[in-house]
Amino acid sequence: MTIKYFYTIALIGFFLLNSCNKNQSKYSENLVFRYNEYANINTLDPAFSRTLQDNSINNQLYNGLVQLDDALNIEPCIAKNWTISGDAITYTFNLRNDVFFHKHPLFGKDSTRLVVAKDFEYSLNRLRDKKVAASGSWVLNKVHDFKAVNDTIFQIELKQPFPAFIGLLTMKYCSVVPKEIVEHYGIDFRSTPIGTGPFKFKRWEENIKLVLRKNENYFEKDSVGNTLPYLEAVSLTFLPDKQSEFLQFAQGNIDFVSGLDASYKDELLTSTGKLRDQYHETVNMIRGPYLNTEYLGFYLDSETPEIQSKLVRKAINYGFNRKKMMLYLNNGVGNPANGGFIPIGLAGYDKSNGFTYQPEKAKQLVEQFKNESGITNPEITLVTTSNYLSFCEFIQRELEKVGLTINVDVMPEASLRSARSNGKVDMFRSSWIADYLDAENYLSIFYSKNFAPNGSNYFHFKNKTVDSLYNKAFTITNIEERKILYKTIDSIAMNNAIMVPLFYDEVIRFTRKNVKGLGINPINLLDLRQVRKD
């Protein structure tokens, strides 16, 4: 980094953060949680909350029927309890009677009102309204109907048993929103949100800053009865890259950084993933499993012989050392994916489903392909984004040793996403982060009726046994029985080598020493309810 660039970024950060601090001058610095969102925020409307960044900010603004704790257990939220009918079709939720929307003049005299079951009826109807075209509408695909029985009882009826359904309801898509506010603002609700969450909306200057303030009427309390949240405000900036973000963190201008980026990983961590000595007195590091599988995928309908060949696809899986890759390129953060597609932490993960490092076996498979096809110099183009270029170049060098030529192309994220969905790339780098806490979420990517671009089966993989077992899993409520089916589906996909699992990611968070109570969870969702600053 040049000195000129360093000072330019530092000055931009200073002015942006100083501008935010002027708006928060009424509060002590220790009551404002400051962080940067380099990937930006798309919306404050939960029905369209697709990205991790959107979900993390909307998690401060909204609540649903149920929620997750840091161990991903499903807990009560606005629903204080619920029952499931014997046939696993009908879910009945009993609501709290002390949850109020954030204040707004449209509510009339009291500037707020109680949340009732009709609000959930409205919110879910809006979610599946084709005119709204909400990106979260898919979560209701297996729902037949729902209704408010009275003010405090809400009922959902499924089309068929779906054991993972209660987990879907924890997603921000299913948050409750007030009809009168949403209909007043229309599409502008995305930037003028009213929810029930621990923080309420104050100000959003897109691409510059976003400010939330404490919701004084929030209904949840801590374990000893103190009202949540503890903080008075949350302040976001939008510096556009991770390097700038880290500079602000190192200078003490923001309180929190999530994830490990190549631009600063060696500055913060040793080669074995330990926090460097110079940061011990100012920085805390917390890390844990992340329900995220990073992988390379093959488009099986490609006309390229190397892609069509299971021999080559298996050779790629055997041909590089995942453990070495994680140690040298990611400072040991993340677990080598020697199992299948289902990550560590989900029922169905099996370390025996995947591939180990066997370079001699990879060479034999490549030679077999050459002999059978007559292609003497097998060659494949792998498309990635710049963030993962170093991983792909490592694999490129390793596979060259076993007789495979890999050409690495770099695309912007949006372009690669489109190309992948439309079958325009033979081999691509991608990731799959759990939307909900059931391995079915991962295995849907193998189901033949989910062919991209209308679904997530980017490989165009079709297998009758997989389809049959996938459908059967919906009828089984016992998790141990479902786990057997999940392992079998995963093993069939791996045996066909339709992808190359790279690693199971880890959540890693860095905070200033004065930040207390910021936990960690396997979906990396930010929860600021119990955060304090000393």
Side-chain angles (χ1 to χ4, degrees):
M1 180 191 296
T2 65
I3 293 175
K4 181 179 179 181
Y5 179 75
F6 179 94
Y7 281 114
T8 299
I9 290 298
L11 283 171
I12 290 171
F14 173 79
F15 285 121
L16 287 176
L17 287 157
N18 203 38
S19 175
C20 275
N21 288 338
K22 286 179 182 177
N23 285 288
Q24 296 152 6
S25 59
K26 64 182 287 189
Y27 296 128
S28 162
E29 186 71 16
N30 284 342
L31 294 176
V32 180
F33 186 83
R34 307 158 302 165
Y35 76 102
N36 184 71
E37 197 56 87
Y38 82 99
N40 222 316
I41 299 292
N42 300 303
T43 182
L44 299 177
D45 183 341
F48 295 87
S49 190
R50 296 181 58 192
T51 68
L52 176 62
Q53 294 77 24
D54 292 346
N55 282 331
S56 284
I57 194 63
N58 286 324
N59 195 44
Q60 319 312 320
L61 291 167
Y62 299 99
N63 299 101
L65 291 163
V66 290
Q67 61 188 344
L68 298 171
D69 65 11
D70 281 348
L72 300 188
N73 298 306
I74 296 169
E75 293 190 328
C77 190
I78 296 179
K80 57 187 178 182
N81 55 58
W82 61 91
T83 58
I84 305 172
S85 61
D87 59 6
I89 293 289
T90 304
Y91 291 66
T92 303
F93 298 89
N94 296 300
L95 308 188
R96 299 175 64 122
N97 61 359
D98 60 350
V99 182
F100 292 84
F101 287 112
H102 300 153
K103 290 189 175 184
H104 193 286
L106 282 173
F107 286 128
K109 180 182 176 182
D110 296 326
S111 297
T112 185
R113 69 167 175 79
L114 187 70
V115 174
V116 295
K118 279 285 185 184
D119 292 310
F120 279 100
E121 190 175 287
Y122 169 76
S123 300
L124 296 191
N125 270 320
R126 177 175 180 259
L127 193 59
R128 67 178 181 182
D129 185 341
K130 291 181 179 178
K131 292 180 181 177
V132 175
S135 50
S137 60
W138 63 269
V139 302
L140 300 179
N141 284 349
K142 291 184 170 60
V143 172
H144 170 62
D145 200 9
F146 44 80
K147 63 181 179 181
V149 177
N150 56 39
D151 281 354
T152 59
I153 298 177
F154 183 65
Q155 205 165 69
I156 300 176
E157 182 183 343
L158 304 185
K159 297 174 184 175
Q160 65 184 73
F162 181 38
F165 178 67
I166 195 73
L168 284 179
L169 292 178
T170 66
M171 298 181 72
K172 300 322 295 180
Y173 293 136
C174 300
S175 301
V176 68
V177 294
K179 178 179 180 179
E180 54 267 65
I181 308 296
V182 175
E183 294 189 349
H184 174 77
Y185 285 110
I187 60 172
D188 290 332
F189 184 70
R190 67 174 290 279
S191 57
T192 49
I194 293 291
T196 59
F199 296 91
K200 58 188 179 183
F201 175 74
K202 178 63 179 177
R203 185 180 182 188
W204 184 19
E205 295 178 41
E206 295 197 41
N207 305 314
I208 300 176
K209 64 185 174 186
L210 189 153
V211 178
L212 308 181
R213 293 281 171 82
K214 177 178 182 175
N215 175 13
E216 301 287 354
N217 295 321
Y218 191 57
F219 61 95
E220 289 190 288
K221 300 184 185 301
D222 66 16
S223 59
V224 294
N226 295 316
T227 300
L228 298 174
Y230 305 133
L231 297 165
E232 289 291 345
V234 178
S235 172
L236 277 75
T237 50
F238 300 100
L239 294 175
D241 63 84
K242 294 291 285 183
Q243 191 173 42
S244 309
E245 180 178 276
F246 175 69
L247 286 173
Q248 290 300 313
F249 178 72
Q251 294 166 17
N253 293 326
I254 58 177
D255 301 307
F256 160 76
V257 167
S258 178
L260 194 64
D261 189 75
S263 65
Y264 60 78
K265 66 181 179 66
D266 294 324
E267 167 70 16
L268 265 178
L269 300 183
T270 65
S271 60
T272 57
K274 305 293 184 183
L275 195 65
R276 290 195 179 275
D277 290 344
Q278 63 263 39
Y279 289 103
H280 278 171
E281 292 186 4
T282 57
V283 174
N284 282 324
M285 178 179 75
I286 47 178
R287 58 190 281 192
Y290 190 8
L291 297 185
N292 173 28
T293 300
E294 298 286 341
Y295 69 94
L296 307 179
F298 301 104
Y299 179 59
L300 302 182
D301 281 345
S302 167
E303 295 180 1
T304 304
E306 290 89 338
I307 297 295
Q308 293 175 358
S309 171
K310 190 189 298 186
L311 296 172
V312 173
R313 300 197 305 267
K314 284 191 171 184
I316 293 172
N317 269 288
Y318 284 122
F320 67 100
N321 189 326
R322 291 166 175 82
K323 184 176 181 180
K324 182 179 175 183
M325 179 180 73
M326 298 311 296
L327 184 64
Y328 291 142
L329 299 182
N330 221 40
N331 298 66
V333 175
N335 295 290
N338 294 120
F341 187 48
I342 300 172
I344 297 169
L346 273 186
Y349 165 75
D350 188 337
K351 63 182 179 181
S352 67
N353 270 351
F355 296 84
T356 54
Y357 178 48
Q358 299 185 48
E360 291 305 316
K361 188 167 187 175
K363 286 180 185 177
Q364 292 170 9
L365 291 168
V366 171
E367 286 302 315
Q368 185 179 344
F369 170 76
K370 289 178 180 180
N371 294 334
E372 292 180 3
S373 67
I375 297 173
T376 56
N377 296 302
E379 187 174 346
I380 294 175
T381 297
L382 166 60
V383 183
T384 183
T385 57
S386 58
N387 285 353
Y388 290 85
L389 179 59
S390 61
F391 289 92
C392 293
E393 288 179 338
F394 172 85
I395 294 167
Q396 177 188 47
R397 291 190 296 270
E398 292 285 287
L399 294 179
E400 190 176 352
K401 300 173 187 175
V402 304
L404 275 175
T405 298
I406 304 294
N407 302 309
V408 179
D409 284 351
V410 177
M411 277 189 187
E413 178 68 38
S415 302
L416 178 54
R417 193 182 303 125
S418 174
R420 179 190 66 193
S421 294
N422 291 288
K424 302 296 185 184
V425 287
D426 284 348
M427 186 180 180
F428 53 87
R429 191 222 63 87
S430 192
S431 60
W432 192 269
I433 301 173
D435 287 321
Y436 50 93
L437 307 179
D438 193 279
E440 182 274 332
N441 182 207
Y442 279 79
L443 302 181
S444 63
I445 204 170
F446 304 140
Y447 187 48
S448 66
K449 291 185 179 179
N450 287 340
F451 272 20
N454 298 315
S456 55
N457 188 339
Y458 309 118
F459 325 103
H460 281 206
F461 174 63
K462 187 171 186 177
N463 181 284
K464 288 182 179 179
T465 304
V466 165
D467 287 353
S468 175
L469 292 175
Y470 179 77
N471 285 320
K472 184 179 179 181
F474 291 123
T475 67
I476 297 173
T477 56
N478 183 289
I479 186 59
E480 292 303 318
E481 292 180 35
R482 288 212 313 282
K483 189 189 298 184
I484 294 170
L485 296 185
Y486 292 161
K487 287 181 180 179
T488 304
I489 293 171
D490 204 11
S491 68
I492 292 171
M494 290 302 104
N495 187 54
N496 282 275
I498 67 173
M499 62 163 57
V500 183
L502 299 178
F503 62 94
Y504 311 120
D505 209 354
E506 283 187 280
V507 176
I508 186 164
R509 291 177 171 181
F510 303 96
T511 67
R512 308 298 302 179
K513 279 286 187 183
N514 65 333
V515 173
K516 310 295 182 185
L518 181 67
I520 196 167
N521 55 76
I523 56 174
N524 202 17
L525 188 66
L526 191 61
D527 182 355
L528 300 177
R529 286 175 298 175
Q530 300 204 41
V531 170
R532 297 180 186 271
K533 286 177 66 179
D534 291 341

